[in-house]
Amino acid sequence: MELNGAPEPAPKPSSKKKDPKPAEEPVPTGHSLILQKLRRSLAIAHSKPVSTPEPESTPAADEPEIEIETVEATGLEPLPQPEPTKASKPVSTLFSLPSWLKEPISVSPTTRTPFSSITGLSPKLQQRLGVLSLTEAFAVQTSVLPLLLDAKTGGDLCISAATGSGKTLAYVLPIIQSLSSRVVTRLRAIVVVPTRELVQQVNSTAVSISSGTGLKIGTAIGSRSLAVEQGLLVAEEDDGSVVSKVDILITTPGRLVEHVRATPGFDLTWVKWLVIDEADRLLAQSFQEWVNVVIVGLEEAAAKHCVDSIAGVDLGNLGLRSGRREAEKVRKVVLSATMTRDVGKLAGLRLRRPRLVVVEDPPLPEDINMADAGEDDAQEGEELEQFSVPAGLREHVIPVESSEHKPLYLLYLLRKQGIKTGALVFVKSNEGAARLAKLLETVGEKSGDKLSVGLVTGEMEKKRREKILKRFSKSEVDILVCSDLISRGLDLPNIRHIINYDIPASTRAYVHRVGRTARAGNEGDAWTLLGNNEARWFWRNIGKAIRRAIAVKKVPIVVESEGVGLRKAYEEVLYGEE
């Protein structure tokens, strides 16, 4: 444009920079294209359209234009589902067990075999058994003795059998026979049991069987001082060396650890047998970590027996490992009435080529119903434990309508069944046992059913307990009221009745309680007073879990609301005479 005919001057360049032209966004390729496709897939999955930014510039002529189509997700409504079903039973854990636990050696509890027919049993021991009037081997002895008497078979053995089935004799006989030819006294067998009373019981059996063999048997329990026991187990020779004074040691686990750690000359080098009786209890508790102490001690001692050379040739030079001879390896025997099949617990024992022997009842007849508990009360079998009760045991349940009158139910039971002697009454607490014992004796005097009632609990001194147990064994005490202190291992003669005044805390506790009767092939009765609030637990955990040939029977007892006799005497003791 011209002004007054003069040309318009050219504009001066501005000092401000103009905004640069937006750069063209490149077309997605490679990873970018993959990410873009991923975003689009996610948007489709969430039923949202994909918004893709359009490029501000036209793509280069040499690059193909990419068209992105928006897809709307449809048909993603939930698929129809089947009706919920009842939860299936858990899959058995047995598939994870080693074959020797899944496929045990089974034997019927009714099996009997003359000792004269047992393969490998020496004539001398057969003669000794005859002197003791032991002519027939029970089921556990029939199956176990040939395995333990055969030194060539080797390997360790786990044994599951009911209490009172003869397990002690099953391991005592092979040990005594294998050691009877020894020349020098050395510690060669260790038997570990959980209680002092059981130590004395096993010791009595071993001493009786070993008579005439010259074998020396000792015990180690916590009731004596360690120094006194050291003098009984080891002796110092003239040359200053310390040697063992016993061939077989029967001990509790805690005291065994003390001797391993603190007794000079207590040498495990020559041990050939390790027996663990009542294994379920011993493996469940640490007892000063006795398993690790003893097993490690045995392995360290085994190194002293290593064969380093043959015919003067060093095995190491031949590329061979030295090792203990097969005949010198420790043989382990593990026993229980409730044998665990928990591989973790057994692993600490480091068993060698183990086998499992199970003495079990035949399966229940199909027409027997264990209880009125119903399907909902059925319990899955204890996969990791083996439960069984003596074959000669008769089991009964007495429904208790009123727990307030529970002592009266017990009194009626004693009268109705004619139980006047040989009865063991289990109560869950020491205090409850003391009260019940006093009540039974007092009511018996007032009602004319006079009873001699004894009491054994964990609070009593050992000498007093032993005195009462001795009187009970001689039938000087008719009824023995006790806690679970004596529910394991003890072999008390003349017990014909077990009465669970309070139900046990577990299936295992029940098995050990009722195992005090029907021992050694005899018969016996177990009675359980069962409250309404306890019935469901009992039938699930005891009625279903234990292998038995017959069902548990219900025995109704009606406690009269009026009358004289027991009820009157009972109320007089509780409330006083009017």
Side-chain angles (χ1 to χ4, degrees):
M1 177 178 181
E2 295 181 358
L3 183 61
N4 297 329
E8 185 177 2
K12 295 182 180 180
S14 173
S15 60
K16 294 182 180 181
K17 294 183 179 181
K18 296 182 179 180
D19 293 334
K21 184 178 181 180
E24 296 181 354
E25 184 175 331
V27 176
T29 60
H31 291 142
S32 299
L33 182 59
I34 294 173
L35 292 174
Q36 187 183 81
K37 290 182 178 180
L38 176 61
R39 286 195 298 271
R40 183 173 62 184
S41 300
L42 292 174
I44 293 173
H46 291 83
S47 301
K48 295 181 180 179
V50 179
S51 59
T52 307
E54 297 182 1
E56 296 183 5
S57 60
T58 306
D62 57 343
E63 293 183 4
E65 182 176 354
I66 298 177
E67 296 182 0
I68 300 176
E69 181 181 0
T70 300
V71 181
E72 183 176 355
T74 59
L76 295 179
E77 59 274 4
L79 295 174
Q81 300 295 318
E83 291 294 328
T85 58
K86 186 178 179 180
S88 59
K89 295 180 179 180
V91 180
S92 171
T93 57
L94 288 179
F95 70 91
S96 61
L97 297 176
S99 59
W100 68 275
L101 283 175
K102 289 192 294 185
E103 302 171 0
I105 302 170
S106 297
V107 57
S108 169
T110 58
T111 303
R112 297 289 186 275
T113 304
F115 279 112
S116 58
S117 301
I118 299 293
T119 304
L121 189 61
S122 68
K124 187 174 182 179
L125 280 181
Q126 290 184 25
Q127 183 180 3
R128 179 59 186 165
L129 290 170
V131 171
L132 298 173
S133 300
L134 300 174
T135 57
E136 279 192 332
F138 294 138
V140 64
Q141 299 157 2
T142 299
S143 57
V144 168
L145 285 174
L147 298 175
L148 294 181
L149 289 170
D150 186 3
K152 296 180 181 179
T153 302
D156 300 327
L157 206 60
C158 292
I159 303 165
S160 177
T163 57
S165 58
K167 296 190 296 293
T168 303
L169 195 62
Y171 64 77
V172 166
L173 281 171
I175 290 176
I176 290 176
Q177 179 163 310
S178 69
L179 302 184
S180 58
S181 60
R182 69 98 177 89
V183 177
V184 179
T185 298
R186 285 171 174 160
L187 180 59
R188 303 173 192 270
I190 298 175
V191 180
V192 186
V193 296
T195 65
R196 301 170 186 174
E197 289 80 6
L198 196 51
V199 166
Q200 301 300 337
Q201 182 175 303
V202 175
N203 177 64
S204 176
T205 301
V207 169
S208 178
I209 297 296
S210 65
S211 177
T213 63
L215 291 174
K216 298 178 181 178
I217 302 171
T219 61
I221 53 180
S223 60
R224 296 186 295 241
S225 71
L226 184 64
V228 169
E229 280 190 351
Q230 287 173 340
L232 297 173
L233 300 181
V234 296
E236 185 175 352
E237 299 283 85
D238 295 336
D239 59 0
S241 61
V242 182
V243 296
S244 176
K245 297 172 68 174
V246 299
D247 298 292
I248 301 172
L249 176 66
I250 305 159
T251 178
T252 52
R255 182 45 63 98
L256 175 60
V257 170
E258 291 184 80
H259 283 297
V260 170
R261 290 175 170 171
T263 300
F266 191 83
D267 192 0
L268 301 179
T269 302
W270 306 99
V271 173
K272 298 176 65 176
W273 294 88
L274 175 63
V275 177
I276 302 169
D277 205 346
E278 300 289 346
D280 61 310
R281 180 176 176 183
L282 291 174
L283 295 180
Q285 301 180 30
S286 62
F287 295 108
Q288 303 182 53
E289 299 182 350
W290 77 272
V291 172
N292 185 61
V293 171
V294 174
I295 298 300
V296 171
L298 289 171
E299 292 182 347
E300 291 177 349
K304 300 179 182 180
H305 278 262
C306 284
V307 182
D308 297 319
S309 63
I310 297 178
V313 179
D314 192 305
L315 295 179
N317 294 337
L318 299 176
L320 301 176
R321 296 175 59 186
S322 60
R324 194 170 184 178
R325 290 187 294 269
E326 189 73 15
E328 295 173 341
K329 291 182 178 177
V330 179
R331 196 164 193 187
K332 304 182 185 79
V333 183
V334 185
L335 311 99
S336 181
T338 52
M339 174 58 67
T340 180
R341 289 194 286 175
D342 188 330
V343 179
K345 290 182 179 179
L346 295 172
L349 298 177
R350 304 182 191 179
L351 301 177
R352 180 175 55 91
R353 301 201 314 275
R355 283 172 293 179
L356 173 63
V357 174
V358 177
V359 180
E360 59 184 357
D361 292 316
L364 285 172
E366 294 181 359
D367 59 343
I368 285 183
N369 184 11
M370 288 297 295
D372 298 328
E375 284 297 322
D376 291 339
D377 287 336
Q379 174 183 304
E380 278 299 298
E382 294 280 348
E383 298 291 358
L384 296 180
E385 288 183 304
Q386 199 84 31
F387 294 116
S388 59
V389 293
L393 181 70
R394 295 178 294 265
E395 298 168 88
H396 317 271
V397 162
I398 301 166
V400 176
E401 299 297 331
S402 173
S403 58
E404 178 184 357
H405 293 146
K406 201 172 187 179
L408 195 52
Y409 278 86
L410 175 58
L411 290 165
Y412 268 74
L413 169 65
L414 297 177
R415 172 178 283 187
K416 183 177 180 179
Q417 299 297 328
I419 302 173
K420 297 182 178 180
T421 186
L424 207 58
V425 182
F426 282 101
V427 183
K428 63 183 178 182
S429 68
N430 294 333
E431 182 181 357
R435 288 200 307 266
L436 182 62
K438 183 64 176 177
L439 181 66
L440 288 177
E441 198 163 38
T442 306
V443 173
E445 290 177 357
K446 286 184 172 291
S447 65
D449 294 337
K450 188 173 182 181
L451 296 171
S452 174
V453 182
L455 174 67
V456 174
T457 68
E459 296 178 343
M460 299 172 60
E461 294 181 356
K462 182 174 181 293
K463 290 183 178 180
R464 186 181 173 192
R465 290 202 310 263
E466 290 178 346
K467 182 179 180 180
I468 295 173
L469 290 173
K470 188 175 181 180
R471 291 185 61 205
F472 181 75
S473 299
K474 293 181 177 180
S475 299
E476 296 175 1
V477 171
D478 301 320
I479 309 293
L480 188 62
V481 181
C482 59
S483 63
D484 280 319
L485 175 70
I486 61 173
S487 66
R488 283 176 173 265
L490 284 182
D491 187 9
L492 297 172
N494 304 324
I495 297 180
R496 296 294 176 264
H497 301 273
I498 297 296
I499 302 174
N500 292 305
Y501 179 82
D502 292 323
I503 63 171
S506 65
T507 307
R508 181 186 298 107
Y510 178 86
V511 169
H512 286 289
R513 281 185 180 185
V514 301
R516 299 309 98 213
T517 189
R519 299 173 71 86
N522 295 315
E523 295 184 346
D525 293 275
W527 311 84
T528 300
L529 302 181
L530 195 61
N532 291 332
N533 60 335
E534 301 167 330
R536 182 180 179 88
W537 179 91
F538 179 87
W539 293 116
R540 289 184 61 188
N541 293 274
I542 295 176
K544 298 287 185 179
I546 300 174
R547 301 188 181 194
R548 47 166 69 87
I550 60 173
V552 180
K553 296 180 180 179
K554 288 186 177 180
V555 180
I557 289 183
V558 179
V559 179
E560 296 101 347
S561 58
E562 298 178 357
V564 293
L566 284 175
R567 184 174 183 84
K568 182 179 180 181
Y570 172 68
E571 291 179 347
E572 287 178 356
V573 171
L574 290 184
Y575 311 117
E577 297 185 18
E578 296 181 356

